Amino acid sequence: MNSLLAYSKPNYYIFAILLLIPLFGLSQYTDVINSNRPGLSVSAYAVGKNVIQAEMGLFYEQKDHTLLNTQSDIWGTDIALRYGLLFEQLELSYEGTFQDQDLTYSNFNLLAKRRDFSRNRLGLKYLVYDPFKNPEANKPNLYSWRANHKFQFKNLLPAVSLYGGANFVIGDNPFYVGEPTISYRGMIATQSRLTPRFVLITNTAFDRITTDDPELSYLISLSHAFRNPKWSVFVEHQGIQSHRYADLLLRGGIAHLLKENLQLDFNMGASLKNTPTRIFFGFGGSYRMDFHKDSLKPIEDQEADQNGGAIDKNAMKKEKRKKRKGNGAEDIDLGPSKKQLKKLKKKEKKKQKESSEIDF
């Protein structure tokens, strides 16, 4: 069996320790739901402090193994519960997959049934670096719509988070015979906004670390928001390597934002090998209960010009309230439109001409 990466057992543990080195960073709370569905990749960003989020789905898979001459029909459900814990960068999550598998051994005309959790884990994710933490460095260009929407090399710089968690095998699990009750998992997740409509996510994980059969895997996911940002699509590649099982998978899907806190999705995919051949599809949704509140920073703790700088003569006039609507794109800021850019440009010129400002 060819390996994706060759590691000796001591190197496995060194790699796992490196995954858990603590660093520091800032987070980015979004006004609309930030779901990891419909793919398996994990976003670098946390859901936000005091946000509770549920992500659930149903799936079907047909798995046939040409060498063992077996056929499987699998029905199952995925569930993920995410909670923004203590502060913006930290997220507590539970991930579970319960499946019912009918396994046919054609050589012996036997039918076996396996039913249990194929995934049952609890973990913490911490955002260690956010390239968008400085709003001044990420202001839109008021003079060029193209400059705001074209690819720039600085966009390759990703947000980075670290994940540490544990897998739980309870009872006589037929999917993990002989494994200990608890094993450990570490992961690095990155996220880059290539353009306002394209987001690239990568996950590199080292799983079941303390077992006799640890697993190394990677995920590369690219998502795209349409002109109507409530619709988005994704394509994802996954590689898995262990002594027990190795595979290369390709999946894709579509998501639709019904409301700011509710998203529906559909996905399908297949393996790139025939030991086993895997074809699967699923659908589901994500729902968020948002109790997030922005923390206030005392004025004496603010840096210079954080209160907005010069005070405009019309600053105290009452403004009409506008209903705020989420743009529907997961972690994607589409930026101002051409019309908005023209208005911003006029407003900027007007401010330069006005001399009736009070500057502190």
Side-chain angles (χ1 to χ4, degrees):
M1 182 182 293
N2 293 330
S3 296
L4 298 174
L5 289 173
Y7 276 97
S8 64
K9 199 159 188 176
N11 287 336
Y12 273 133
Y13 291 100
I14 294 172
F15 180 74
I17 292 170
L18 289 175
L19 285 178
L20 302 177
I21 294 175
L23 298 171
F24 297 94
L26 295 174
S27 184
Q28 182 184 21
Y29 166 78
T30 56
D31 291 328
V32 295
I33 189 170
N34 166 18
S35 176
N36 289 328
R37 291 187 60 88
L40 291 183
S41 60
V42 173
S43 164
Y45 291 104
V47 290
K49 184 180 177 181
N50 295 328
V51 172
I52 303 171
Q53 189 162 305
E55 303 172 5
M56 295 173 285
L58 299 173
F59 68 88
Y60 168 77
E61 178 177 339
Q62 184 178 15
K63 181 188 291 187
D64 300 332
H65 201 296
T66 56
L67 296 180
L68 300 178
N69 199 15
T70 61
Q71 293 87 40
S72 294
D73 290 307
I74 303 171
W75 291 91
T77 180
D78 293 313
I79 182 170
L81 300 175
R82 304 167 63 189
Y83 176 63
L85 184 66
L86 299 178
F87 39 89
E88 299 295 339
Q89 304 98 311
L90 186 64
E91 177 181 299
L92 173 67
S93 65
Y94 166 77
E95 298 169 278
T97 299
F98 188 87
Q99 62 183 50
D100 188 314
Q101 179 181 12
D102 290 327
L103 178 61
T104 302
Y105 295 89
S106 300
N107 292 338
F108 307 99
N109 196 26
L110 292 176
L111 177 64
K113 180 178 282 289
R114 299 197 293 182
R115 179 186 296 166
D116 213 313
F117 283 92
S118 61
R119 182 178 60 162
N120 190 35
R121 60 182 178 235
L122 189 68
L124 288 170
K125 182 178 68 176
Y126 184 76
L127 181 70
V128 298
Y129 176 71
D130 182 3
F132 298 100
K133 64 183 178 182
N134 182 4
E136 293 296 322
N138 294 283
K139 282 186 173 180
N141 188 326
L142 301 183
Y143 299 94
S144 173
W145 181 89
R146 182 176 178 275
N148 293 320
H149 290 76
K150 71 176 183 179
F151 169 78
Q152 301 179 63
F153 281 104
K154 70 175 184 178
N155 294 342
L156 291 174
L157 189 64
V160 180
S161 66
L162 298 181
Y163 172 96
N167 303 290
F168 298 91
V169 177
I170 301 172
D172 297 324
N173 190 316
F175 298 108
Y176 301 103
V177 178
E179 286 204 2
T181 303
I182 301 176
S183 61
Y184 301 98
R185 172 182 173 86
M187 180 178 68
I188 296 175
T190 72
Q191 183 166 329
S192 304
R193 191 187 69 173
L194 303 181
T195 73
R197 295 184 185 274
F198 282 96
V199 171
L200 177 68
I201 293 176
T202 69
N203 295 167
T204 304
F206 190 43
D207 205 358
R208 324 197 83 80
I209 294 171
T210 51
T211 68
D212 294 331
D213 191 20
E215 178 182 286
L216 184 64
S217 66
Y218 66 85
L219 275 161
I220 303 172
S221 178
L222 181 66
S223 61
H224 170 64
F226 290 115
R227 188 174 294 275
N228 176 359
K230 289 189 175 183
W231 289 93
S232 61
V233 294
F234 87 102
V235 61
E236 184 175 87
H237 170 61
Q238 181 180 16
I240 304 169
Q241 174 63 45
S242 70
H243 296 301
R244 179 181 59 187
Y245 173 64
D247 214 336
L248 295 171
L249 305 170
L250 192 65
R251 64 176 62 87
I254 188 166
H256 176 60
L257 188 81
L258 288 181
K259 298 180 180 179
E260 290 184 357
N261 293 330
L262 179 62
Q263 174 185 293
L264 298 180
D265 61 72
F266 173 80
N267 72 89
M268 61 187 304
S271 62
L272 301 180
K273 49 182 289 189
N274 59 8
T275 53
T277 298
R278 299 177 59 185
I279 299 174
F280 47 85
F281 67 88
F283 62 91
S286 305
Y287 180 72
R288 178 176 76 164
M289 291 180 285
D290 189 357
F291 304 106
H292 181 275
K293 292 183 179 179
D294 292 328
S295 57
L296 300 178
K297 192 171 185 180
I299 193 168
E300 60 269 19
D301 294 336
Q302 296 182 19
E303 297 178 4
D305 203 35
Q306 278 193 342
N307 62 352
I311 300 177
D312 191 272
K313 66 178 182 179
N314 297 321
M316 301 303 292
K317 286 187 176 180
K318 191 174 181 180
E319 293 183 0
K320 292 182 179 179
R321 291 187 178 181
K322 294 182 179 179
K323 190 174 181 181
R324 191 177 181 185
K325 294 183 178 179
N327 59 16
E330 177 185 335
D331 291 331
I332 299 176
D333 180 10
L334 297 181
S337 64
K338 291 182 179 180
K339 289 183 179 179
Q340 289 172 330
L341 282 173
K342 289 180 180 180
K343 289 181 180 179
L344 289 170
K345 188 174 178 181
K346 288 180 181 179
K347 190 175 181 181
E348 190 74 18
K349 288 182 179 180
K350 186 178 179 181
K351 281 186 177 181
Q352 291 175 0
K353 292 179 181 179
E354 288 180 349
S355 58
S356 56
E357 293 182 339
I358 305 171
D359 193 5
F360 292 96

